[in-house]
Amino acid sequence: MRSLISALFAFLLITRPACAADTSSAEALYREGILPSGALLVGQRDAGLVVRGAAAACVNCHRRSGFGTAEGQIVVPPVAGHYLFRPASSANDDMDYRYLPGYVNLKHQPYTERTLAQAIRQGIGRDGRPLSELMPRFDVDETTMIQLIGYLRGLSSTLSPGVTEDTLHFATIVTPDADQASRDGMLAVLRQFFSDQNDYLRGGIKPMQSERNVFYRVKRRWQLDVWELQGLPETWESQLHEKLAREPVFAVISGIGGKTWAPVHRFCETEALPCLFPNVDVPVIAEQDFYNVYFFRGVLLEADLIAARLALATATSQASGKSSAGPRVIQVFQRGDAGEDAAAHLAAQLAASGQPPPLDRPLDSDAPAGEINRALSNIRENDVLVLWLRPGALAALPSAAPRASVYASGLMGGLEHAPLPSAWRQAALVTYPFELPAPRHVAMNFPLAWFNIRHVPILNERVEVDTYLACQIVSDTLSGMLDLFHRDYLIEQLENMLSRRLVNGYFPRLSLAPAQRFASKGGYFVRLPAKASDAVSPEGGWTVP
């Protein structure tokens, strides 16, 4: 009877047609730990340990791609169908996958539907030996097992859109509110970097084959499409969908925006399209998303830094009995600029910590000096003044600084080059979400030398250095993928290698984890010197709010 049931089970797995509902249900199980019934997936480990729901989802260890991972001495093998059901062989004729974590020994027998079901339910591998104790045992019904194994069969089974036999297609996205000089600088870097990549392929490089037919890799040229958006933000997503339909791409690399980037973020998440390190001051904070990766949180990180410092100061004051409430916070920003979002974010952070709401004093985008002076009127000694202003507005500040505590956005104001009047330079603490200028000097030698040798004009140094860094990171990531050009695997490999980089341009360090989408997470507070030629003075160390 048992053999008859097993044979019937195998027959159903082979002959039962897949449907969209099956795929969706299996994907929910694999990624979220939710069974087709809506109940939570339950996994049992040794010693009675139980995991449920998201904690039991396959994606936690085997990743979205199904290619597995490695952490120290722990290797999680791939579960994509190509590896599970690969016929046993003594020949090395499939070595394009040899660098994957948990690469399967070619001499091992492949899984069958029956042995794979046994592995999932009982933790018994294809060789009859117990699997790692890290692998939970899942008691799922026959229908669910059929759906799951069908999902694994198709997982990462074809190359992603934008990948052809000889070309990797990329796009970069430019919004209409992006700064023109920064846009031109970014595109100059991208075009030169792509040209350098393709210079190695001139004359045509064919796949390398040995006498034993070992396939190593195919060099693919890089092609860049520039997607320039037009009109209002509510039309950008439809424009992007049309562009992607006409020009399928493997990933979006760099890009540049102004105040608004959310439509681009939503588009990339909807299309499962990696969007890697765009130049934006106001990114979308959605750590649960997968495909959008940023260098840092921009002005929102600066708001977090200020909120954390104010919360600490308030707590210290309350502990000493000096005050029971936080200070009055006054924010000055220009309408329609990134500072408007930063001010709203700071207000939300203050409210979350139980502090009084700030008093906003918005300015017109081209505010004259008189309007700025009025915004700074009636500032009391115990107030906190936060300036979310660009260099032009900072230069128009009155010569006398208020006696209040003053914070200024370094990102918006120009960092150490912020044109604060003399009296304000020592009064203001400037947020600085990058490495300090002196230790950054060595890391900057690499991109600046490249700009010089390649005759790339420097129109906005930080934007161009970040763009160069994004290109280098993508190049390094791709070099470790061989020909496994799957979008999910690109993100996973980027997570794995990013923290190993030693040279990171403006940033002291970069790192990502599966639930993180901002590679740099902290910053400094600095005071600007009286003379622009002197070094900035940090107030405390690197802080992660």
Side-chain angles (χ1 to χ4, degrees):
M1 177 63 72
R2 180 174 297 178
S3 61
L4 177 61
I5 293 173
S6 297
L8 178 61
F9 177 69
F11 175 79
L12 288 173
L13 284 168
I14 295 171
T15 61
R16 187 177 186 271
C19 65
D22 289 345
T23 302
S24 176
S25 296
E27 183 175 280
L29 187 155
Y30 186 90
R31 293 188 179 181
E32 303 170 41
I34 300 176
L35 294 167
S37 65
L40 297 182
L41 177 67
V42 178
Q44 181 84 34
R45 286 200 176 103
D46 293 341
L49 180 63
V50 175
V51 287
R52 289 184 174 84
C58 313
V59 72
N60 292 320
C61 297
H62 298 287
R63 309 307 310 275
R64 283 197 181 207
S65 66
F67 290 155
T69 189
E71 183 71 31
Q73 298 299 313
I74 299 174
V75 175
V76 178
V79 292
H82 178 84
Y83 300 94
L84 295 174
F85 304 109
R86 184 210 324 261
S89 171
S90 60
N92 295 328
D93 57 357
D94 199 14
M95 290 291 283
D96 51 322
Y97 301 98
R98 65 197 183 282
Y99 292 135
L100 275 175
Y103 177 70
V104 179
N105 189 320
L106 292 173
K107 296 182 180 180
H108 283 177
Q109 291 296 319
Y111 275 107
T112 65
E113 289 82 0
R114 182 187 63 79
T115 58
L116 181 56
Q118 178 179 267
I120 294 171
R121 288 190 174 119
Q122 302 172 29
I124 304 298
R126 74 184 87 193
D127 55 4
R129 290 186 293 184
L131 298 175
S132 167
E133 61 183 13
L134 295 176
M135 172 68 181
R137 286 60 166 150
F138 302 100
D139 185 15
V140 297
D141 60 50
E142 300 296 331
T143 300
T144 300
M145 185 66 72
I146 290 171
Q147 293 178 7
L148 177 59
I149 293 178
Y151 178 79
L152 296 178
R153 277 192 178 279
L155 188 58
S156 299
S157 59
T158 59
L159 297 180
S160 292
V163 181
T164 66
E165 184 177 346
D166 60 359
T167 305
L168 292 175
H169 294 262
F170 296 92
T172 194
I173 298 173
V174 180
T175 66
D177 59 345
D179 175 73
Q180 184 67 30
S182 299
R183 167 203 174 274
D184 293 345
M186 178 200 73
L187 291 179
V189 172
L190 285 172
R191 286 167 174 153
Q192 185 60 57
F193 196 97
F194 273 59
S195 177
D196 284 1
Q197 285 288 118
N198 294 332
D199 278 347
Y200 296 109
L201 300 178
R202 289 181 177 175
I205 295 179
K206 300 182 184 300
M208 296 185 293
Q209 302 277 344
S210 77
E211 294 179 357
R212 299 178 65 188
N213 198 34
V214 177
F215 179 81
Y216 288 99
R217 68 182 304 181
V218 179
K219 285 280 190 178
R220 287 171 168 82
R221 64 183 293 272
W222 289 21
Q223 179 171 314
L224 178 67
D225 295 316
V226 180
W227 292 351
E228 302 243 20
L229 301 177
Q230 300 176 348
L232 297 175
E234 49 264 35
T235 70
W236 294 354
E237 286 182 76
S238 62
Q239 292 179 48
L240 289 168
H241 285 296
E242 291 173 3
K243 292 178 184 295
L244 184 64
R246 287 197 306 269
E247 306 166 354
V249 297
F250 180 49
V252 174
I253 184 170
S254 193
I256 192 163
K259 182 178 183 292
T260 303
W261 189 255
V264 180
H265 181 109
R266 287 194 301 268
F267 160 77
C268 291
E269 208 63 32
T270 299
E271 292 288 350
L273 178 64
C275 182
L276 307 177
F277 308 114
N279 297 286
V280 290
D281 288 346
V282 190
V284 176
I285 298 180
E287 301 273 19
Q288 76 282 359
D289 288 347
F290 184 77
Y291 295 98
N292 289 271
V293 180
Y294 302 91
F295 277 126
F296 71 126
R297 297 198 306 276
V299 295
L300 307 181
L301 172 59
E302 294 185 300
D304 288 336
L305 287 166
I306 294 171
R309 191 177 182 95
L310 293 179
L312 179 61
T314 299
T316 302
S317 179
Q318 291 173 345
S320 64
K322 294 180 180 179
S323 174
S324 60
R328 185 177 72 155
V329 177
I330 298 171
Q331 301 191 96
V332 180
F333 56 87
Q334 292 173 291
R335 295 184 181 91
D337 201 357
E340 189 170 18
D341 294 88
H345 189 73
L346 178 56
Q349 297 301 97
L350 294 176
S353 62
Q355 299 185 67
L359 174 62
D360 290 344
R361 295 182 178 180
L363 305 170
D364 292 333
S365 58
D366 55 350
E371 184 180 352
I372 295 175
N373 287 341
R374 286 193 293 274
L376 299 175
S377 62
N378 301 318
I379 304 293
R380 301 193 293 258
E381 183 175 353
N382 293 329
D383 290 342
V384 171
L385 175 63
V386 183
L387 303 176
W388 303 105
L389 300 175
R390 300 290 182 182
L394 292 179
L397 292 172
S399 57
R403 299 180 64 185
S405 299
V406 180
Y407 294 89
S409 165
L411 180 60
M412 296 184 65
L415 301 175
E416 65 269 22
H417 305 296
L420 283 167
S422 178
W424 291 76
R425 296 181 75 82
Q426 283 300 310
L429 275 178
V430 177
T431 50
Y432 204 97
F434 305 105
E435 180 60 283
L436 297 172
R440 191 173 74 224
H441 177 75
V442 174
M444 292 292 289
N445 285 336
F446 292 88
L448 294 180
W450 186 84
F451 296 158
N452 182 49
I453 294 170
R454 299 296 191 270
H455 305 292
V456 175
I458 300 179
L459 306 177
N460 183 321
E461 181 184 274
R462 184 181 62 80
V463 166
E464 292 178 53
V465 168
D466 285 356
T467 302
Y468 174 81
L469 179 59
C471 290
Q472 285 283 9
I473 290 171
V474 171
S475 178
D476 291 347
T477 303
L478 290 173
S479 68
M481 294 174 63
L482 261 68
D483 292 319
L484 293 173
F485 293 118
H486 302 274
R487 289 170 174 173
D488 291 353
Y489 191 48
L490 174 66
I491 297 289
E492 293 163 8
Q493 285 293 91
L494 188 149
E495 292 174 358
N496 291 337
M497 61 78 60
L498 196 59
S499 61
R500 299 195 293 268
R501 291 188 58 84
L502 299 178
V503 179
N504 296 306
Y506 267 67
F507 301 98
R509 64 188 68 87
L510 298 172
S511 65
L512 285 175
Q516 297 175 350
R517 285 299 170 261
F518 297 95
S520 182
K521 303 165 180 64
Y524 294 97
F525 287 98
V526 304
R527 292 195 188 275
L528 302 183
K531 296 180 181 179
S533 58
D534 293 339
V536 301
S537 302
E539 293 267 334
W542 179 265
T543 300
V544 177

